Amino acid sequence: MLRVGLVGCGFMGRMHSNVYSLLDGAQLVAVADHKPARAEKFGIDFSANAYLSLEAMFAAEELDAVDICLPTHLHKEATILAAQAGKHIFCEKPMALAVADADAMIEAVDQAGVQLMIGHCIRFWPEYALLKEITDDGRLGKLLSINLLRYGEFPHWSSDNWLADEKLAGGGVLDMHIHDTDFIHYLLGDPDSINSWGTVDERGPGHVFTTMTYPGCVAHLEGGWNLPSHTPFKMAFRAIFERGAAIMDAGPLTIYEPGKEPVVPEFAKMEAQGGGNISDLGGYYHELRYFVDRVNAGQPLEIVTPLTSRTSLETTLEEIRQLKSRA
Ligand SMILES: NC(=O)c1ccc[n+]([C@@H]2O[C@H](COP(=O)([O-])OP(=O)(O)OC[C@H]3O[C@@H](n4cnc5c(N)ncnc54)[C@H](O)[C@@H]3O)[C@@H](O)[C@H]2O)c1
């Protein structure tokens, strides 16, 4: 049984805590937040001991792993602290704000001999995981083109509105669009070319349009959070293969093949209790289960590694560099 301590009792902290209550291989034994009321409420809600800092939690608890759900600018410091304390680490995306910070995190976990997984949950989101399977096994032929879309209103719920500060969050492109940048790397690897345009506002790079080219395939990615309040959150894709298409857009994921009836695959849904813009625990459940199972078994992480997460950060920062230079 993996004894987990979680730091950051906010939106994602609640999502992850809900998942731990569903996992057999892990127990959430401690939570920490610098806001006493939040730590206390999580402690009650999830029957865990509550602390006001990671340091206090480490001093009092025997933990195997730490789950970092802190604002992005704190990921590096918390990861290094946890690695030096000998804990395995699950840390939310984006890995960090700068590639140099990601490198420092990788160095710390390598030196400590602990595992680090960044929460690139889209690799585990059932519809996207199926798209990866279809692309890899070639059942619809080669992938010719793909659109990936992710947008919504600005996430107004972050503590002290940290997401509105580019120095802490990196703007909507780094915070939200990185999901699709990470997924396209998972699906197709490093692109031959990247071209980004987009918009910048007082919260940083808010909306991006990127074209990436691969041998025989073109990808278009769009993402942003600079839409008016009440705009529904949307994530969608349209993948066109030689002999069919996989489309998740206005309706559920549907697979189209010439001469056949469209197929709508079924996926089990798990309801979240945390609110926000995500209506089910699916990808979060699968990513944390993977982390817990692999760490418990002493096996390496393969679907998401520190290096793949570093690459996704590096590419997203390149998209931001280009869009800023052209805005
Ligand atoms: N994977 C996803 O789909 C997804 C979705 C949303 C957010 N995120 C990521 O999760 C991370 C957290 O985002 P969030 O939306 O939960 O933010 P949040 O503001 O809701 O929660 C952050 C929590 O950290 C606490 N905190 C801040 N500074 C602290 C400190 N020094 N010590 C202890 N506690 C401190 C805050 O009080 C708050 O409770 C971010 O990196 C964000 O990008 C990922």
Side-chain angles (χ1 to χ4, degrees):
M1 178 67 72
L2 198 72
R3 292 169 57 84
V4 180
L6 179 143
V7 62
C9 300
F11 172 63
M12 281 316 287
R14 183 161 290 276
M15 199 69 83
H16 289 195
S17 300
N18 281 328
V19 171
Y20 289 117
S21 64
L22 298 171
L23 290 179
D24 291 337
Q27 190 188 359
L28 183 63
V29 293
V31 292
D33 198 288
H34 68 166
K35 292 183 187 274
R38 287 185 175 224
E40 198 180 322
K41 174 93 171 81
F42 263 54
I44 293 166
D45 289 352
F46 299 104
S47 306
N49 298 323
Y51 300 92
L52 296 182
S53 70
L54 203 50
E55 290 87 341
M57 188 164 82
F58 287 158
E61 299 281 344
E62 290 289 323
L63 301 172
D64 304 308
V66 176
D67 187 327
I68 299 168
C69 289
L70 291 169
T72 303
H73 67 290
L74 300 172
H75 289 182
K76 174 183 124 181
E77 186 189 320
T79 297
I80 292 173
L81 195 70
Q84 288 170 348
K87 316 298 177 200
H88 298 293
I89 302 156
F90 186 96
C91 176
E92 259 307 334
K93 49 48 68 183
M95 187 170 188
L97 293 171
V99 173
D101 292 349
D103 286 339
M105 293 161 77
I106 292 171
E107 195 185 327
V109 297
D110 283 351
Q111 270 181 11
V114 295
Q115 304 251 41
L116 168 64
M117 177 166 159
I118 304 299
H120 279 298
C121 55
I122 298 304
R123 294 183 183 216
F124 296 86
W125 216 271
E127 290 86 348
Y128 291 78
L130 180 58
L131 174 59
K132 168 77 173 154
E133 223 179 275
I134 292 171
T135 307
D136 285 354
D137 69 20
R139 75 186 81 160
L140 300 182
K142 191 175 167 348
L143 181 63
L144 302 175
S145 67
I146 179 166
N147 289 53
L148 293 159
L149 178 66
R150 184 171 307 274
Y151 69 71
E153 65 173 312
F154 172 73
H156 51 80
W157 56 79
S158 68
S159 58
D160 304 323
N161 208 20
W162 69 270
L163 282 170
D165 186 340
E166 183 181 356
K167 290 190 293 307
L168 310 184
V173 176
L174 188 64
D175 191 77
M176 193 158 90
H177 167 75
I178 194 171
H179 281 301
D180 287 322
T181 301
D182 179 70
F183 184 73
I184 201 72
H185 276 283
Y186 183 46
L187 198 68
L188 296 172
D190 293 343
D192 290 339
S193 69
I194 302 173
N195 263 292
S196 297
W197 292 262
T199 58
V200 179
D201 57 32
E202 68 285 357
R203 297 167 181 144
H207 209 110
V208 68
F209 300 82
T210 294
T211 302
M212 296 187 189
T213 56
Y214 292 87
C217 182
V218 60
H220 187 260
L221 291 69
E222 180 195 341
W225 68 20
N226 62 340
L227 286 102
S229 52
H230 306 301
T231 309
F233 173 72
K234 173 158 179 161
M235 60 179 186
F237 60 76
R238 184 176 66 249
I240 303 176
F241 296 83
E242 287 171 316
R243 296 190 302 277
I247 301 178
M248 184 180 82
D249 197 339
L253 170 62
T254 307
I255 313 293
Y256 299 89
E257 290 181 77
K260 294 187 186 171
E261 286 296 309
V263 173
V264 178
E266 286 198 13
F267 303 99
K269 297 278 181 205
M270 281 154 280
E271 291 303 315
Q273 296 153 19
N277 63 8
I278 292 146
S279 63
D280 69 74
L281 284 177
Y284 304 120
Y285 174 83
H286 295 296
E287 67 174 359
L288 285 172
R289 191 171 128 181
Y290 176 78
F291 172 73
V292 165
D293 287 352
R294 286 285 167 130
V295 171
N296 276 337
Q299 291 173 338
L301 300 164
E302 289 164 336
I303 296 181
V304 179
T305 70
L307 285 179
T308 64
S309 303
R310 179 196 187 278
T311 299
S312 300
L313 173 65
E314 193 174 29
T315 300
T316 310
L317 292 174
E318 170 61 15
E319 292 178 76
I320 290 171
R321 189 195 66 73
Q322 291 190 16
L323 86 80
K324 278 189 168 176
S325 74
R326 290 164 166 165

